[in-house]
């Protein structure tokens, strides 16, 4: 089952990732100072992932890899995907997210210390 996983990094910041049925991380958020804000970010992704317009398809700066980001209603980027070697794979994951993210469970990984990631290239 698809799931959102909340982690806390060494700096005490919260971040979430979205994992597919095989456990592969598909996208992740920026950092939040409070867990409640992180959960609100997940709720925003769940809601906005139902609208195709909220997915922005992108290419890496060198043009060899593909990714996407998800924007909220106010246009702010709320999640960014991992890199994919083929745009068809990226597009396939977008389709999968549209059908799976809304009902995905939320869990907390209390053991993990995630690596903070930025939301831009």
């Amino acid at each position: 089952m698809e799931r959102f996983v909340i982690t806390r990094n060494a700096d005490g910041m919260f971040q979430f990732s979205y994992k597919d049925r095989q456990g592969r991380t598909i996208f992740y958020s920026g950092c939040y100072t409070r867990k409640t804000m992180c959960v609100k970010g997940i709720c925003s992704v769940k809601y906005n992932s139902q609208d195709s317009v909220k997915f922005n398809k992108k290419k890496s700066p060198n043009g060899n890899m593909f990714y996407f980001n998800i924007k909220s209603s106010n246009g702010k980027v709320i999640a960014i995907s991992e890199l994919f070697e083929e745009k068809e794979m990226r597009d396939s994951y977008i389709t999968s997210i549209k059908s799976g993210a809304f009902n995905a469970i939320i869990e907390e990984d209390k053991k993990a210390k995630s690596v903070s990631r930025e939301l831009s290239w």
Side-chain angles (χ1 to χ4, degrees):
M1 171 172 249
E2 295 88 352
R3 65 191 187 280
F4 289 92
V5 179
I6 298 172
T7 54
R8 193 169 189 180
N9 67 20
D11 294 332
M13 303 288 279
F14 294 91
Q15 186 174 30
F16 66 83
S17 60
Y18 179 82
K19 298 190 180 278
D20 67 8
R21 292 174 188 245
Q22 290 75 40
R24 178 179 175 189
T25 299
I26 306 304
F27 62 81
Y28 52 88
S29 71
C31 291
Y32 297 89
T33 56
R34 295 185 315 227
K35 183 178 171 185
T36 55
M37 297 309 292
C38 188
V39 172
K40 286 183 180 184
I42 291 170
C43 292
S44 181
V45 168
K46 285 183 169 214
Y47 174 78
N48 287 293
S49 67
Q50 304 308 294
D51 184 354
S52 296
V53 174
K54 303 295 172 65
F55 287 88
N56 291 344
K57 298 176 181 180
K58 305 277 192 175
K59 282 186 182 180
S60 63
N62 64 11
N64 294 333
M65 303 290 277
F66 302 89
Y67 69 103
F68 62 87
N69 57 40
I70 303 172
K71 291 191 174 183
S72 65
S73 298
N74 66 7
K76 183 179 175 183
V77 174
I78 51 178
I80 188 166
S81 75
E82 297 289 347
L83 293 171
F84 303 100
E85 292 182 6
E86 300 172 353
K87 66 181 176 179
E88 293 81 11
M89 182 178 279
R90 173 201 61 198
D91 297 347
S92 175
Y93 271 107
I94 289 172
T95 300
S96 175
I97 291 162
K98 288 180 190 177
S99 65
F102 191 80
N103 293 314
I105 62 170
I106 301 172
E107 60 185 40
E108 186 173 358
D109 186 349
K110 295 184 184 217
K111 298 178 290 184
K113 298 291 184 191
S114 68
V115 176
S116 180
R117 298 177 179 176
E118 295 297 322
L119 283 179
S120 61
W121 292 98

